[in-house]
Amino acid sequence: MAKRIILIASGNGSNVENICSFFEKDQKIFVVGVYTNNPKAKVIDRVFRFGIKTKVFDKEAFTNGELISIIKKQKPDLIVLAGFLWKIGSDWLNEFPYKIINIHPALLPKYGGKGMYGKHVHRAVKNNNDEETGITIHYVNESYDEGAIIFQSRVKIDNEDSIDTIASKVHELEYANFPKVIHRLLNKENK
Ligand code: GAR
């Protein structure tokens, strides 16, 4: 049976683009929708070339059930948060149990929680002189960045690494691993 992915992002969308590209030729797994809460998000341009239109939503639609029912109609097997910054409410979790996953740019449980996203995470890692960082892909639950961990991967930090260098090392890990983890999760359900 074909599997259906929904992607949600708030900004740049390089992970969304990478995931769309990974599944572009797949005959069994399809990106059926890309959603953003930011009408100026770069993700909108990034997915255009795949023939996928990004739908923009506001806080009201996100919290009053409207967006849930739109997405429900698309019958997603997996909802993937790729750089999405709003907190997922219990209405979402009840509607899509164990179907919402998130990527976090650090080795959770370190550097998680409200306000910990993007460069803020990399700055904190750098300020603590950590010798490594990484990515965490996890199920979403009612607390920020605390859901069950599905996958982690790590990378070494050198003394001279800037926040931008750390960010690009982490992005490389994301590009290499996120689509594969999604693929694995969706295939596991077939068995
Ligand atoms: C990614 O590094 C992702 O891990 C992070 O935002 C970036 C989005 O980049 N997510 C969080 O910080 C969530 N707390 P992208 O828009 O280029 O894919």
Side-chain angles (χ1 to χ4, degrees):
M1 260 265 281
K3 299 283 176 176
R4 303 162 66 80
I5 304 170
I6 294 281
L7 301 171
I8 311 183
S10 290
N12 184 31
S14 66
N15 275 286
V16 165
E17 183 176 8
N18 183 51
I19 293 164
C20 288
S21 172
F22 185 91
F23 290 108
E24 193 179 10
K25 303 244 158 63
D26 199 300
Q27 300 296 311
K28 293 198 179 124
I29 299 178
F30 300 93
V31 175
V32 294
V34 177
Y35 292 80
T36 183
N37 58 311
N38 177 2
K40 298 206 174 105
K42 206 168 165 191
V43 67
I44 297 172
D45 293 335
R46 286 183 184 272
V47 302
F48 189 73
R49 72 178 167 99
F50 299 99
I52 303 171
K53 199 166 173 285
T54 311
K55 294 175 192 73
V56 179
F57 59 90
D58 59 15
K59 196 90 187 191
E60 206 184 335
F62 181 67
T63 49
N64 70 5
E66 192 184 322
L67 188 62
I68 291 180
S69 57
I70 291 172
I71 289 182
K72 204 176 149 190
K73 285 196 191 109
Q74 293 195 281
K75 299 191 189 315
D77 295 287
L78 202 61
I79 298 173
V80 177
L81 312 184
F84 179 60
L85 303 180
W86 289 353
K87 190 158 186 295
I88 295 292
S90 53
D91 47 351
W92 285 80
L93 300 171
N94 291 336
E95 192 60 59
F96 305 111
Y98 280 90
K99 282 193 176 169
I100 310 178
I101 66 169
N102 178 49
I103 189 157
H104 188 78
L107 295 168
L108 291 174
K110 289 170 93 179
Y111 306 110
K114 194 167 164 48
M116 273 297 180
Y117 60 88
K119 292 252 169 88
H120 299 286
V121 174
H122 307 310
R123 186 173 299 113
V125 167
K126 169 94 185 146
N127 288 345
N128 279 345
N129 295 315
D130 283 7
E131 290 177 355
E132 63 170 12
T133 186
I135 61 168
T136 304
I137 298 166
H138 64 93
Y139 287 107
V140 172
N141 72 3
E142 50 291 321
S143 310
Y144 264 122
D145 302 325
E146 287 182 16
I149 291 175
I150 300 163
F151 175 88
Q152 289 189 306
S153 176
R154 42 194 81 224
V155 62
K156 197 175 162 310
I157 299 174
D158 299 315
N159 277 341
E160 60 274 20
D161 281 350
S162 65
I163 292 168
D164 283 342
T165 317
I166 295 172
S168 54
K169 283 183 171 181
V170 167
H171 261 130
E172 287 310 315
L173 280 186
E174 296 185 328
Y175 302 151
N177 292 289
F178 203 11
K180 287 187 195 159
V181 171
I182 293 169
H183 191 267
R184 213 158 50 227
L185 280 176
L186 289 171
N187 276 339
K188 206 154 58 182
E189 269 183 35
N190 277 331
K191 288 171 193 147

